Amino acid sequence: MKIDVLTLFPEMFSCLNHSIIGRAIDSGLISINSVNIRDFSENKHNRVDDYPYGGGAGMVLQPQPVYRAIQSVKEKQSRIIYLSPKGKLLNQDLAKELSKEKHLVLLCGHYEGIDNRIIENYITDEISIGDYVLTGGELASMVLIDCVARLITGVLGKDESYIDESHYDGLLEYPQYTRPRSFDSFHVPEILLSGNHQKIEYWRKFQALKTTYLNRPDLLDNKNLDDEEREMLKQIKSEQVGK
Ligand code: ADE
């Protein structure tokens, strides 16, 4: 996958050259190219922002440099994504969909935002990474790159599968433990030492449902539970009564 990032701060993206994403870049599975929007300014002082029409606080990114930056990287099939708190929420399903694309263009806003004519006419997707406001789209772009890139075949090693992790099957992940068996007088759940894979699987599903129920009950609204899971949920709810 090829990713072009349009930003006023291209140097911020060097932090992606590490760990799993760094290896994916080195092995050619993904390429990340940051483009400085300021290089496309037509202003003799390289300005890219101006006051908002109608008044109000802050500055707005002008359409011309953003348009020219988009045109410099755009291909026939590009997904052109503007990162913004007004966008559609990024979740695992959207990340999976994007991981199948050949070319992403990520546009990072700053100041009070960008001229709306760009959003209306040249953007294919407006995406938010959560219900909070960042100072710019760069960190949001990096979050998107990280969670999309790791879903591309070959990026995670075969021991780093995402099959069991949180949000894969609409549930949060079950708890994990490693050596030592006892730590500061806290013990690893006996069931995980039993060698009984059926019981371990049942326990893990129960724990995944419990964590989801306690931390993100909204996720259960969209999930079709089977008979076993419905029974588990009843038990989890009754355990919570009086707590
Ligand atoms: N830019 C500022 N806040 C953002 C958010 N929550 N998601 C994506 N881009 C942003």
Side-chain angles (χ1 to χ4, degrees):
M1 173 188 282
K2 192 167 121 191
I3 303 172
D4 284 298
V5 189
L6 312 181
T7 169
L8 292 170
F9 301 96
E11 62 285 358
M12 283 177 76
F13 288 83
S14 61
C15 74
L16 291 170
N17 295 331
H18 301 277
S19 183
I20 293 170
I21 305 302
R23 265 186 275 145
I25 295 169
D26 291 343
S27 64
L29 285 167
I30 55 171
S31 70
I32 302 173
N33 170 43
S34 11
V35 172
N36 195 336
I37 296 169
R38 206 175 290 284
D39 291 343
F40 295 89
S41 167
E42 287 164 339
N43 177 289
K44 69 171 185 271
H45 303 294
N46 279 348
R47 265 189 76 169
V48 289
D49 59 329
D50 210 329
Y51 295 99
Y53 276 122
M59 304 294 274
V60 177
L61 263 179
Q62 293 177 290
Q64 304 94 323
V66 177
Y67 171 79
R68 294 180 66 218
I70 292 173
Q71 294 307 317
S72 78
V73 295
K74 186 178 166 253
E75 294 168 13
K76 241 198 189 144
Q77 304 292 335
S78 312
R79 282 287 274 266
I80 305 180
I81 299 168
Y82 173 49
L83 281 304
S84 130
K86 287 195 288 185
K88 176 175 170 182
L89 264 188
L90 178 63
N91 61 20
Q92 198 66 11
D93 284 343
L94 180 53
K96 260 182 238 167
E97 181 192 320
L98 294 174
S99 72
K100 299 187 179 105
E101 296 287 347
K102 288 204 160 55
H103 185 214
L104 302 183
V105 177
L106 305 180
L107 171 60
C108 307
H110 253 272
Y111 316 117
E112 281 306 300
I114 67 175
D115 189 289
N116 206 55
R117 288 166 289 186
I118 293 291
I119 302 171
E120 271 183 344
N121 299 303
Y122 305 103
I123 294 296
T124 60
D125 306 78
E126 188 170 3
I127 295 179
S128 164
I129 62 159
D131 290 335
Y132 41 79
V133 182
L134 303 166
T135 55
E138 282 75 14
L139 288 172
S141 279
M142 289 185 233
V143 168
L144 187 147
I145 290 170
D146 190 283
C147 83
V148 168
R150 66 193 287 288
L151 297 175
I152 294 170
T153 307
V155 170
L156 295 184
K158 55 185 177 323
D159 295 335
E160 296 170 304
S161 164
Y162 54 80
I163 299 298
D164 276 343
E165 70 190 5
S166 290
H167 296 290
Y168 174 71
D169 192 26
L171 293 180
L172 302 181
E173 199 193 1
Y174 51 79
Q176 299 275 18
Y177 297 87
T178 186
R179 270 187 271 256
R181 282 166 78 143
S182 295
F183 166 71
D184 199 19
S185 82
F186 300 110
H187 309 296
V188 171
E190 275 301 321
I191 188 87
L192 297 177
L193 312 171
S194 70
N196 185 330
H197 294 294
Q198 220 176 333
K199 282 192 172 164
I200 291 173
E201 207 179 301
Y202 181 92
W203 181 88
R204 284 181 164 166
K205 190 182 265 187
F206 187 91
Q207 297 301 322
L209 258 176
K210 186 172 172 178
T211 307
T212 309
Y213 175 71
L214 293 177
N215 293 348
R216 290 291 306 280
D218 55 300
L219 295 177
L220 296 177
D221 296 342
N222 307 321
K223 187 165 164 59
N224 287 325
L225 299 178
D226 61 28
D227 288 348
E228 184 182 64
E229 289 167 336
R230 266 198 297 276
E231 257 329 291
M232 286 177 177
L233 196 57
K234 243 194 238 165
Q235 198 182 328
I236 290 162
K237 285 180 180 170
S238 70
E239 278 175 10
Q240 295 307 308
V241 174
K243 271 203 175 171

